[in-house]
Amino acid sequence: MLERLIATPMPLVLKNAFNLAHGSSDSRTNLLVRIGEGRGEVPIVPYYGIPSARLLEELDRASALLEEDPFRIDAVMARIDAPSAGFSAPARCGVDLALHDRVGKLLGIPLYRLFGLSPENIPPTSFTIAIDQPEVMATRARDSKLPILKIKLGKPEDLEIVRAVRLATSAKLRLDANGGWSREQALDLIPRLMDFDIELIEQPLAKEDVEGYAWLRSRLKAPIFADESLQSERDVLALRPGIDGIVVKLMKSGGLRGALRMMTLARALDLKVMLSCMIESSLGVTAAAHLGPLADYIDLDGPLLIANDPFRGLQYEGAQIHLPSGPGIGAEPVH
Ligand code: MG
């Protein structure tokens, strides 16, 4: 029997208003996708500008493209991933996750086993410190007691922020400017920021400034990762001359299969891989964590930022992620 795809809103309340270079918010409404026993999550990110109504329309259209045989994921995704089909990456992500979750449940094995991966090889995750006043960020960094922190930047006081955080903690620090600097600002700031023992810098330049990375690289030496500038595997080649690594998110890659393609391409080009997430429940983030053993860096703290996580899945022991042992994604609804 052909199973229909059902999509419903999944309201998420954030523990702290999330301030980024793009703006601030204290709630999100993602979409929950169900195909039979399979579940997937569609992250809705305000600054990507894809309205909920459009995603619901796409998911409704996707429902007609399913296969009767649940194992034929490639056939379904070939239709949905085709550029001419006009599906956005978040919608493709929701379908891909639900299809994989369903297959894992039918086989009775977790996704990491389906992919042949060893869960103890997941690197420890970073924890995000949202943009705020330097002393507030320093206090959060100290109170977190976590060994790897991602410091959000993109304000005039970036240097004071990093100085204050560095004084407050001996944690490894990764910086994420979320595209908040011009080329000249990045050129001026990065060498001074690197003096505070920084592991890497994410998305220093505007999303559209793809050539800026090579410009920057010819003028300074620092490990630079592209996040917003990389929206699909097609962007990896263009960015390659100026970057050291890419930030992979299921919402950008259109799910697990797309993430695997992106990671394979990065490996072939000698790029490092950071596996990251949007503001997503334990459903979407646990799905991503199943690919964790393939990443060099992990940034999967989404559920820690949510006050009303509707799913229970991956568990944190400090910075270490433990995958659930249940079949498929292994995330169970809390209610
Ligand atoms: Mg980022």
Side-chain angles (χ1 to χ4, degrees):
M1 185 194 69
L2 187 62
E3 287 173 307
R4 296 271 309 162
L5 181 156
I6 300 161
T8 47
M10 182 160 61
L12 302 175
V13 178
L14 307 184
K15 286 182 184 166
N16 299 308
F18 206 71
N19 298 308
L20 289 176
H22 317 282
S24 159
S25 64
D26 57 8
S27 69
R28 291 284 174 90
T29 301
N30 291 349
L31 297 175
L32 172 65
V33 172
R34 277 178 292 170
I35 304 172
E37 293 297 301
R39 288 189 182 85
E41 180 166 355
V42 177
I44 300 186
V45 184
Y47 54 82
Y48 273 81
I50 308 178
S52 187
R54 176 180 153 196
L55 289 163
L56 285 165
E57 176 274 317
E58 288 182 16
L59 293 167
D60 192 49
R61 209 150 49 82
S63 189
L65 302 177
L66 299 177
E67 291 265 321
E68 198 151 335
D69 177 351
F71 290 89
R72 289 168 55 87
I73 296 178
D74 64 341
V76 179
M77 293 313 293
R79 290 178 202 127
I80 289 172
D81 286 343
S84 59
F87 288 93
S88 62
R92 292 190 282 120
C93 171
V95 177
D96 169 282
L97 261 50
L99 292 175
H100 282 88
D101 188 41
R102 179 169 66 164
V103 157
K105 283 173 172 158
L106 287 167
L107 294 172
I109 57 169
L111 289 189
Y112 67 84
R113 286 181 65 83
L114 195 66
F115 291 123
L117 301 173
S118 310
E120 69 277 11
N121 291 340
I122 302 179
T125 183
S126 56
F127 178 75
T128 302
I129 307 290
I131 288 194
D132 213 310
Q133 297 306 313
E135 59 279 16
V136 175
M137 294 177 74
T139 304
R140 285 209 190 119
R142 183 188 308 114
D143 293 350
S144 76
K145 298 194 171 54
L146 289 167
I148 312 171
L149 300 174
K150 178 184 276 200
I151 310 300
K152 294 288 191 176
L153 298 177
K155 291 220 295 187
E157 52 272 45
D158 284 341
L159 200 58
E160 291 95 286
I161 289 172
V162 175
R163 184 181 291 121
V165 170
R166 180 77 289 170
L167 283 171
T169 175
S170 58
K172 272 187 191 164
L173 298 183
R174 301 172 185 165
L175 308 182
D176 187 354
N178 284 112
W181 302 329
S182 67
R183 289 185 188 188
E184 289 71 22
Q185 281 173 320
L187 184 60
D188 171 57
L189 262 177
I190 290 174
R192 297 198 275 156
L193 293 168
M194 291 302 291
D195 285 343
F196 294 102
D197 191 11
I198 301 305
E199 193 178 22
L200 59 89
I201 299 185
E202 208 178 301
Q203 194 66 36
L205 303 173
K207 182 181 174 198
E208 301 75 23
D209 192 10
V210 173
E211 297 82 28
Y213 289 92
W215 182 91
L216 208 52
R217 162 156 292 182
S218 66
R219 289 163 175 80
L220 60 76
K221 211 171 135 47
I224 304 286
F225 280 53
D227 182 1
E228 286 88 342
S229 292
L230 176 100
Q231 289 298 322
S232 82
E233 64 249 44
R234 292 179 192 86
D235 300 323
V236 180
L237 279 174
L239 289 161
R240 173 68 193 97
I243 59 173
D244 299 273
I246 62 167
V247 179
V248 174
K249 295 172 178 166
L250 299 183
M251 178 266 184
K252 299 192 295 182
S253 67
L256 295 159
R257 293 173 74 88
L260 282 169
R261 284 197 301 270
M262 236 186 224
M263 290 165 129
T264 307
L265 183 55
R267 289 279 169 248
L269 296 171
D270 242 347
L271 291 169
K272 298 284 188 195
V273 170
M274 178 187 290
L275 186 59
S276 182
C277 60
M278 293 296 183
I279 293 191
E280 295 169 59
S281 78
S282 282
L283 176 61
V285 178
T286 305
H290 282 279
L291 300 183
L294 296 172
D296 303 292
Y297 302 93
I298 294 283
D299 169 37
L300 293 176
D301 63 348
L304 300 173
L305 310 175
I306 296 172
N308 66 335
D309 194 342
F311 283 88
R312 184 182 160 81
L314 80 173
Q315 297 296 312
Y316 300 89
E317 184 186 341
Q320 197 56 54
I321 284 175
H322 299 291
L323 286 173
S325 56
I329 295 172
E332 291 302 320
V334 173
H335 298 296

